[in-house]
Amino acid sequence: MTSDFPFDTEQFDRLIRARRSIQPVQFVPGKIIPDELIERLLENANWAPTHKRTEPWRFVVFSGEGRQKLADFQAELYQRTAGDKFQAAKYDKLRTSPLLSSHVVAIGLKRHPDVPEIEEVEAVACAVQNLHLTATAYGLGGFWSSGGITYLEEAKPFFGLGLDDQLLGFFALGYVQNPPGKNIRKPIAEKVTWVRE
């Protein structure tokens, strides 16, 4: 079929609608994504929009034994900082969750003083969306988590982030054990106001 559009728009629409948050417990145990494919995902993330071209996204990729290093660090940091709110179940989850994934990508924001912080956060979120859509296109599962140690100041140095930077969570990647179910959205008409005059 001939089209005036430069890309296959039906395929693109299908890709957008196929994206799901797939948690690490749904990944195929022990099946490892080739590093070259992870690099492709990150390269596409790098093409996100960015005000003043600051490109604030920073990624630290944990694979192989590196996942254990991440697991140990986050569990120990949580234990050290939780105080009265410490929960053994949360501690155990932090120690085991990274090991369920093929790769875990820590998502950082490197602050630029000339751009409002919210715009830098938005740029990083766009980069993560690019990463997630690319993962979906390759049949991979992905899950962006902002729990655990994400917003602890003490976590930043471990990920190469400075005081003004932010840790915005972790993106877990793996092969999907069972295809995700149908996703739904409320009609766009409920969320859009048109002003035509």
Side-chain angles (χ1 to χ4, degrees):
M1 180 173 135
T2 307
S3 169
D4 293 333
F5 302 120
F7 300 99
D8 184 332
T9 55
E10 289 182 14
Q11 281 288 89
F12 183 75
D13 291 348
R14 281 186 53 227
L15 173 61
I16 295 285
R17 289 165 176 78
R19 188 213 55 80
R20 301 282 187 283
S21 291
I22 299 175
Q23 297 194 22
V25 294
Q26 297 170 275
F27 295 161
V28 177
K31 190 170 182 184
I32 305 302
I33 301 166
D35 285 348
E36 297 78 25
L37 188 47
I38 299 297
E39 289 171 0
R40 172 70 57 93
L41 272 60
L42 295 172
E43 179 63 32
N44 284 353
N46 193 45
W47 285 90
T50 167
H51 188 195
K52 295 192 177 184
R53 297 184 182 167
T54 61
E55 302 177 29
W57 43 83
R58 297 294 184 272
F59 303 114
V60 179
V61 183
F62 295 89
S63 64
E65 292 303 311
R67 296 170 305 147
Q68 185 67 61
K69 185 175 182 179
L70 171 62
D72 292 343
F73 171 77
Q74 67 180 9
E76 290 164 13
L77 180 59
Y78 169 69
Q79 185 176 38
R80 195 168 69 243
T81 59
D84 293 341
K85 295 182 180 180
F86 178 83
Q87 299 171 16
K90 185 172 181 178
Y91 174 82
D92 291 340
K93 184 176 180 181
L94 290 170
R95 283 191 63 86
T96 58
S97 185
L99 306 179
L100 300 175
S101 303
S102 168
H103 293 71
V104 179
V105 181
I107 303 163
L109 180 159
K110 198 73 171 167
R111 275 296 276 130
H112 191 285
D114 294 342
V115 177
E117 185 175 39
I118 185 62
E119 293 184 8
E120 301 283 71
V121 171
E122 292 160 348
V124 174
C126 287
V128 174
Q129 177 75 340
N130 282 4
L131 187 160
H132 204 166
L133 288 173
T134 307
T136 301
Y138 281 95
L140 303 173
F143 184 70
W144 185 1
S145 170
S146 59
I149 63 167
T150 297
Y151 301 117
L152 296 179
E153 290 294 318
E154 298 90 338
K156 291 179 182 179
F158 185 79
F159 302 99
L161 299 170
L163 289 176
D164 294 332
D165 304 331
Q166 289 189 43
L167 179 61
L168 296 178
F170 302 90
F171 199 86
L173 287 156
Y175 287 98
V176 183
Q177 210 164 166
N178 298 308
K182 185 177 179 181
N183 202 352
I184 57 170
R185 289 290 188 272
K186 294 177 184 173
I188 189 62
E190 295 178 12
K191 305 163 192 169
V192 176
T193 302
W194 288 82
V195 181
R196 292 190 169 103
E197 296 179 12

